[in-house]
Amino acid sequence: MTQIDCLNFCEVLQDFYDMNVPFVTTIRAVQKEAGLGKCERIYIGSSFCGPYFLHLSEKMIARVLEACQAEGIGVTLVLPVFTEKNIALGKEKIKGLSVYFDKVIDEITVNDYGMLSYISGNYSLKLNMGRLFMKDYRDPRYEDYFHSELHPKIFTTYISELMKKYRITGMEFDQTHSIINFEQKPKDIEIGIHSPYCYMTTGHICEVASIHKDIDHKFRPNASCQSECRDMIIRYDLNDGRKWYRVGPTIYFENTDCKIEGTNRYRRIYFPINQEDVK
Amino acid sequence: MNVLVPLNNAEHVVDYINAGAGEFYMGFYDREWNEKFGEYADINRLTGFREKANPYDFEMVLQFIQKMKEKQRPLYITFNASCYSKEAFQYLEQYFVRLKDANVDGVIVSCVELVNLAKAIGIPSVISTIAGIYNSDMARFYADHGTKRIILPRDLSLSEIESITKNVPDMEYEVFMMRNGCAFSDSNCLGMHRTEMCSICSSITKADNEILVKDDNFANRHAAELNNMIYNQYFHNAACGLCSIYRFLQMGIVAGKIVGRSDDWEGVCRDIEYIRENVGIARSCKDEEEYLRRMVFPKDRNQVCKLGLSCYYPEVRFV
């Protein structure tokens, strides 16, 4: 089994950047903490949050990409589902980042059909279907389900047609179960596995974004924010011996024991959820 | 704007209609399905609640289709599990063929594969909130595939809903109106919704938590903990969209949905009446200001109508 080690800086890039250490040092520190080999690729952007994506500073992106280019590290740009309010701004931001396309950023991950169609029609990079497309239930509170072997349901006839139509070359999954079997995947698709945290639920109402809002303006869908998610995360104790986190609008559980079967090559996309652990 | 009501109690269909129900939706259970695909494979998003949310089997559904035709009320059948396997799609085709024969008004589906299947068989499809149509591009994608109606997510603002309806006009739109709120997205909440345990949103609000604050001083911690307390204790204890009816009529929204397939019929009836009455009032008002002055509030307004925390669309009252 060939495992390609990647780091996922989506949702947390700014936190690491703010540590004021060279980005290459950050990459090596995260690699070491995760016990990974050489980092082949990083993911930047956001899987879950439009406002987070829009807030990514150009200066930071430029520096991070410069570091990756110098180190020969590939970069995947991850696009969240933008709600109506932010869809035009999202496209504008993507256009701004397109100066890096085919240079440092060599592929894009999309998370909805609208964006799949848009990116495919306007840019020529390779495309991944992101983790929000994969809708198999995941719930470790149901042990019998969690320990069953998952055969992801995404591999339908329609998806095979879609892959041809939109030049999709990769698909990203979460570690939802104890075992995931990819024997039904289309031959040319590269699998990416997000680890060690599996997202369980997300949305467009963000608790954390409401911290500084008046009570009658709290918890509005798609509210503007000041990236408060950079300042706090919440850890939950569900009395199951498992780590549960809220980062921004998303709830994750830790799953460190997920066996991958049915493919002889995949990307492991490691997410350093808590930068305090990485120092 | 029609009131769309869950058909969860056959004895009270007439009560629902008398209260003002304009359309119905229902799911069904099928033990053969579970034997074939397993306990955790859903036909619809509430399959895990078994007969509590889906009290009837498929044969009964076929009978209801005829009964509702006699009563001149459209009935939609839900197939909105988060996802289906390739084999499940083949199995679902059998249902769709029989629904077509019964001349069903439509199927509520969660994915493009089922939109395509419905189209191939000749049944109108309604795309469920489970598909997460959050912007015009996504609405257009499903419109291009031939869906008849889109149920917009409950975590969209009114201005976003209005923009989508303008940008993709040749489409029916349905919105959430009464009963249950959701702190996450219906389309990407992938924890179980079943009888054995509460949903993950309830689990985390009840769980002990530790808030990790980066700049951990008194002010920051106080703000974070107070915010978390309000979220856990007061946010979306109920959900109501009555104040937004005037705007929805202006937008041409075709249906306002009452959720709660496992809820008691009297509560559902009461909510139907609230919507029906307020739609009537809104139609007779010259502007929104007049509507907000004259509208009927829910009976439990002393709890529900506070600070927008139980509003689907709080921006109407709390600008």
Side-chain angles (χ1 to χ4, degrees), chain A residues 82-84 220 222 231, chain B residues 135-136 160 163 203 214 318:
Chain A
F82 293 102
T83 69
E84 183 71 1
R220 298 273 178 101
N222 321 308
D231 299 329
Chain B
N135 61 51
S136 299
E160 291 180 302
S163 174
S203 285
K214 193 185 273 181
F318 302 93

Side-chain angles (χ1 to χ4, degrees), chain A residues 186-214:
Chain A
K187 201 174 65 174
D188 299 328
I189 286 293
E190 177 136 297
I191 299 295
I193 310 283
H194 288 275
S195 77
Y197 300 99
C198 172
Y199 104 81
M200 184 162 175
T201 184
T202 188
H204 297 279
I205 294 171
C206 183
E207 174 189 339
V208 181
S210 290
I211 287 178
H212 302 297
K213 292 190 190 299
D214 291 339

Side-chain angles (χ1 to χ4, degrees), chain A residues 14-15 18 81-87 91 111-115 117-118 131-139 141-145 153-160 162 165-166 184 199-213 215-222 230-239 244-246 249-251 274-276, chain B residues 40-42 44-45 80-87 89 110 112-113 116 130-132 134-138 141-142 145 154-157 159-160 163-164 167 182-185 187-200 203-205 207-215 220 223-224 227-228 230-232 235-236 307-309 312 314-315 318-319:
Chain A
Q14 189 78 47
D15 305 82
D18 289 349
V81 175
F82 293 102
T83 69
E84 183 71 1
K85 184 175 93 171
N86 289 327
I87 185 76
K91 287 176 181 173
N111 278 291
D112 65 87
Y113 288 119
M115 193 54 82
S117 176
Y118 174 76
R131 60 207 298 195
L132 268 68
F133 276 107
M134 315 309 160
K135 295 194 176 184
D136 290 288
Y137 296 137
R138 65 282 313 264
D139 199 329
R141 299 173 306 161
Y142 290 81
E143 286 198 22
D144 56 336
Y145 177 74
K153 295 191 182 77
I154 187 79
F155 304 126
T156 62
T157 310
Y158 177 78
I159 291 296
S160 298
L162 212 64
K165 184 175 175 188
Y166 292 120
Q184 292 170 0
Y199 104 81
M200 184 162 175
T201 184
T202 188
H204 297 279
I205 294 171
C206 183
E207 174 189 339
V208 181
S210 290
I211 287 178
H212 302 297
K213 292 190 190 299
I215 189 167
D216 59 356
H217 280 73
K218 285 185 185 291
F219 319 131
R220 298 273 178 101
N222 321 308
R230 289 170 51 198
D231 299 329
M232 62 166 279
I233 59 177
I234 304 177
R235 197 152 49 197
Y236 299 97
D237 181 2
L238 268 60
N239 291 315
W244 293 79
Y245 287 103
R246 179 194 290 268
T250 307
I251 304 290
N274 188 355
Q275 62 273 19
E276 296 300 313
Chain B
Y40 296 106
D42 290 350
N44 61 67
R45 190 58 173 118
N80 64 342
S82 288
C83 62
Y84 300 95
S85 66
K86 201 188 276 188
E87 297 73 26
F89 282 125
S110 52
V112 65
E113 289 92 337
N116 289 343
I130 298 292
Y134 282 102
N135 61 51
S136 299
D137 287 1
M138 295 164 86
F141 177 86
Y142 281 97
H145 279 76
R154 49 190 134 181
D155 49 343
L156 274 176
S157 66
S159 58
E160 291 180 302
S163 174
I164 293 171
N167 287 334
C182 185
F184 295 97
S185 167
S187 61
N188 283 97
C189 183
L190 300 172
M192 298 287 180
H193 286 68
R194 299 180 60 85
T195 50
E196 295 92 327
M197 268 181 257
C198 59
S199 302
I200 189 62
S203 285
I204 60 168
T205 55
D208 289 338
N209 71 31
E210 183 188 5
I211 301 177
L212 308 173
V213 181
K214 193 185 273 181
D215 186 7
N220 287 345
N227 190 64
N228 181 250
I230 296 166
Y231 180 87
N232 287 349
F235 179 50
H236 272 185
L307 298 166
L309 293 170
Y312 279 129
E315 61 268 40
F318 302 93
V319 183

Side-chain angles (χ1 to χ4, degrees), chain B residues 4-8 24-30 33 42-48 50 53-58 61 65 74-82 84 92 95-96 99 104-111 114 123-130 149 151 174 176 257-261:
Chain B
L4 178 68
V5 177
L7 207 172
N8 56 352
F24 289 89
Y25 66 100
M26 69 186 301
F28 63 91
Y29 71 87
D30 184 346
W33 167 280
D42 290 350
I43 299 174
N44 61 67
R45 190 58 173 118
L46 296 187
T47 294
R50 302 188 176 89
N54 294 295
Y56 306 107
D57 64 14
F58 188 66
V61 164
I65 291 169
L75 173 61
Y76 299 93
I77 313 302
T78 54
F79 296 90
N80 64 342
S82 288
Y84 300 95
L92 288 168
Y95 298 130
F96 278 30
L99 288 171
V104 72
D105 296 290
V107 285
I108 300 175
V109 300
S110 52
C111 56
L114 288 184
I123 305 174
S125 65
V126 174
I127 194 74
S128 165
T129 184
I130 298 292
R149 180 187 291 190
I151 306 174
E174 178 181 318
F176 281 80
K257 179 175 186 165
I258 295 176
V259 296
R261 274 192 268 162

